[in-house]
Amino acid sequence: MLKAVLFDLDGVITDTAKFHFLAWRDLGAELGITVDEAFNEELKGVSRIDSLERILAHGGVADKYSSAEKEAFCTKKNDHYLELIQEMTPADILPGILPLLKELREAGLKTIVTSASKNAPGILALLQVKDYFDGIVDPASVAAGKPAPDIFLAGAELAGAKPAECIGVEDAASGVDAIKAANITAVAIGDATVLGHADRVLADTSALSLAVLRDTWEQAI
Ligand code: G6P
Ligand code: MG
């Protein structure tokens, strides 16, 4: 039986992906590195420090900066990101998500946030959806980030469910990799050419419903 839904946050519950992009793009520009939308795709689902490492490698300066300098770059990026998201309200919840969360509550399924973002609790508070979730996995508590399965395995455990009793929802290729590596059924939101390794790809969140999740899970299991 399907018991739990494990939700990525950025790009699934709300469109913070565009703000992460803007903040990295501006930091990249300061460092003389071009972060365009195509390259940004590789940063989705990737932790803050790993995103910075990828950007520096992309700019051919992987070994140029000390740990302290990298830490400062991450803080700068996050400060900018927090400025960009502070105006967010419940109106910024992506289409279909709130009805889905209500449906899941009524059906008694567990709901867990499995995001790499350390800002997830703050964003859920801005969106006023915290009460719809049974738990948030702390990304700092897992050994390896996406595409490793750790955060989704931790999410299943938090839900009190086996991986085979869960379904994960993701917008990032690395996130779909992580779900599949955890032996969990994956629903992806976005471009099928990037996310084709998911069990089902939906163009956007408005197509999400408990019926679609159940159908995907039953066909995959
Ligand atoms: C999500 C986003 C990534 C972001 C990561 C860490 O996975 O898709 O773009 O880098 O979270 O977010 P944070 O808010 O902790 O910097
Ligand atoms: Mg995401």
Side-chain angles (χ1 to χ4, degrees):
M1 198 173 68
L2 177 61
K3 289 188 179 165
V5 184
L6 312 178
F7 284 90
D8 178 44
L9 172 73
D10 297 287
V12 171
I13 294 171
T14 187
D15 189 17
T16 40
K18 65 186 178 208
F19 299 126
H20 279 295
F21 167 58
L22 292 176
W24 283 129
R25 187 196 62 186
D26 288 4
L27 182 80
E30 275 183 46
L31 302 176
I33 302 168
T34 303
V35 176
D36 60 18
E37 288 202 59
F39 175 66
N40 183 63
E41 209 48 51
E42 293 174 35
L43 305 178
K44 287 185 179 173
V46 177
S47 75
R48 200 178 305 168
I49 186 68
D50 289 348
S51 296
L52 177 69
E53 298 284 9
R54 286 190 190 198
I55 289 167
L56 295 177
H58 180 64
V61 287
D63 301 319
K64 186 173 171 186
Y65 299 103
S66 67
S67 302
E69 284 171 316
K70 288 179 189 172
E71 203 48 55
F73 292 151
C74 282
T75 301
K76 189 164 195 181
K77 180 266 174 176
N78 196 53
D79 287 348
H80 184 190
Y81 174 70
L82 290 175
E83 261 172 46
L84 293 170
I85 64 167
Q86 69 171 343
E87 302 293 326
M88 278 185 15
T89 71
D92 295 301
I93 300 168
L94 283 169
I97 293 295
L98 205 51
L100 174 65
L101 290 171
K102 288 180 178 166
E103 246 191 315
L104 295 173
R105 267 278 169 273
E106 275 163 27
L109 274 81
K110 295 282 184 200
T111 49
I112 304 288
V113 176
T114 42
S115 167
S117 174
K118 294 177 180 168
N119 293 304
I123 291 169
L124 294 174
L126 285 170
L127 300 175
Q128 298 175 23
V129 289
K130 257 190 162 163
D131 291 347
Y132 287 105
F133 293 98
D134 297 297
I136 303 171
V137 178
D138 177 2
S141 72
V142 297
K146 302 169 188 177
D150 304 32
I151 198 161
F152 286 99
L153 292 172
E157 201 179 321
L158 195 55
K162 297 189 185 93
E165 296 168 329
C166 299
I167 193 163
V169 188
E170 261 290 349
D171 72 315
S174 63
V176 172
D177 289 337
I179 297 174
K180 298 306 295 175
N183 282 319
I184 291 173
T185 303
V187 172
I189 308 295
D191 184 347
T193 58
V194 182
L195 304 165
H197 49 319
D199 295 286
R200 181 165 300 190
V201 183
L202 304 173
D204 62 73
T205 53
S206 62
L208 278 169
S209 67
L210 177 53
V212 166
L213 294 183
R214 277 208 170 116
D215 182 61
T216 308
W217 183 81
E218 275 160 17
Q219 287 193 31
I221 219 75

